[in-house]
Amino acid sequence: AQTVTQSQPEMSVQEAETVTLSCTYDTSESDYYLFWYKQPPSRQMILVIRQEAYKQQNATENRFSVNFQKAAKSFSLKISDSQLGDAAMYFCASSPGGATNKLIFGTGTLLAVQP
Amino acid sequence: EAQVTQNPRYLITVTGKKLTVTCSQNMNHEYMSWYRQDPGLGLRQIYYSMNVEVTDKGDVPEGYKVSRKEKRNFPLILESPSPNQTSLYFCASRGYGGSYNEQFFGPGTRLTVL
């Protein structure tokens, strides 16, 4: 069974600084996908970034990037130049490849951004 | 606009009173899911559907029912709600063969069972 672990329940960062959120996962699948979702106070689930396991290159979306370490089963999210609007709950998630609707979430990291 | 809609967004009810939370998507997606979100537990999958008339249990199915009679709709039914089903519920959908297995989420339904 797949599991996703986020060991940091809360994090804080100063505006304009960089912060890294940790995520580890466990899976027996050879083909899978990894995601970071953002949940602001509105509660909407917003996809931040995604990574295919077979791609070695780390995904990047503007100020958001990941450090994907496949052997270590680690998938951390780096937010550069943090903004007040980045304050939210962040969830790491994993999905097997192929015809499946499984999506396994971590317990989340609440990020506060200090002005 | 491509979207997943849920109704109602907020619901307060009493123990044992049957209720249905509707979910609809306009993207012609085959796959749909229901999740519940609880503090400290993240989101957990309740039920999912791979297509019309094809549903299966997720990780926490007890106390819930679903049906998939039309491709666009996937209602969640609580036949006898209990206080431990007080939670935030999300519906999600994705297309078969879609890139990255990405799921699109509805806005959430806050349910309180007294």
Side-chain angles (χ1 to χ4, degrees):
Chain A
Q2 287 187 303
T3 60
V4 177
T5 302
Q6 294 178 251
S7 59
Q8 305 154 315
E10 298 182 8
M11 294 278 288
S12 183
V13 63
Q14 291 293 126
E15 199 174 3
E17 297 295 309
T18 295
V19 64
T20 298
L21 308 184
S22 300
C23 173
T24 58
Y25 63 94
D26 191 17
T27 180
S28 57
E29 305 284 341
S30 58
D31 180 23
Y32 56 92
Y33 302 90
L34 298 165
F35 306 89
W36 279 98
Y37 281 89
K38 172 185 178 182
Q39 187 180 47
S42 67
R43 304 178 316 194
Q44 181 69 46
M45 294 293 288
I46 302 167
L47 181 64
V48 174
I49 199 165
R50 55 202 174 195
Q51 174 86 39
E52 290 173 300
Y54 69 84
K55 289 187 176 179
Q56 293 188 336
Q57 186 173 6
N58 289 326
T60 299
E61 290 285 344
N62 300 312
R63 299 182 295 106
F64 298 87
S65 61
V66 298
N67 183 5
F68 175 45
Q69 301 289 327
K70 191 171 183 178
K73 294 183 178 177
S74 171
F75 184 62
S76 60
L77 174 69
K78 185 172 81 171
I79 306 174
S80 304
D81 185 25
S82 296
Q83 301 175 359
L84 295 177
D86 294 334
M89 180 72 85
Y90 287 82
F91 291 100
C92 180
S94 170
S95 175
T100 177
N101 209 18
K102 268 290 191 185
L103 186 60
I104 307 299
F105 284 87
T107 52
T109 297
L110 183 61
L111 178 66
V113 180
Q114 308 299 331
Chain B
E1 179 190 356
Q3 61 183 348
V4 179
T5 57
Q6 296 178 227
N7 282 293
R9 296 288 311 278
Y10 302 89
L11 179 60
I12 300 175
T13 189
V14 296
T15 299
K17 185 176 181 181
K18 181 179 179 180
L19 66 91
T20 299
V21 184
T22 64
C23 172
S24 183
Q25 50 91 6
N26 62 2
M27 295 169 278
N28 201 35
H29 284 167
E30 287 79 12
Y31 298 165
M32 298 185 74
S33 290
W34 276 102
Y35 298 86
R36 61 177 289 172
Q37 181 181 355
D38 301 292
L41 297 177
L43 281 79
R44 295 175 293 167
Q45 194 175 49
I46 302 171
Y47 268 95
Y48 63 91
S49 171
M50 307 288 272
N51 215 324
V52 176
E53 302 291 3
V54 181
T55 63
D56 207 348
K57 296 177 181 178
D59 297 317
V60 288
E62 293 78 20
Y64 304 94
K65 286 178 60 176
V66 294
S67 68
R68 187 94 182 272
K69 300 188 185 307
E70 303 169 287
K71 195 173 185 179
R72 63 182 291 126
N73 296 323
F74 190 45
L76 179 69
I77 304 158
L78 286 71
E79 297 224 327
S80 183
S82 62
N84 64 11
Q85 292 178 297
T86 292
S87 188
L88 177 60
Y89 291 86
F90 287 98
C91 180
S93 74
R94 82 168 180 94
Y96 180 74
S99 64
Y100 295 91
N101 280 16
E102 178 184 349
Q103 297 200 21
F104 296 84
F105 283 83
T109 295
R110 170 72 69 185
L111 172 65
T112 301
V113 183
L114 302 175

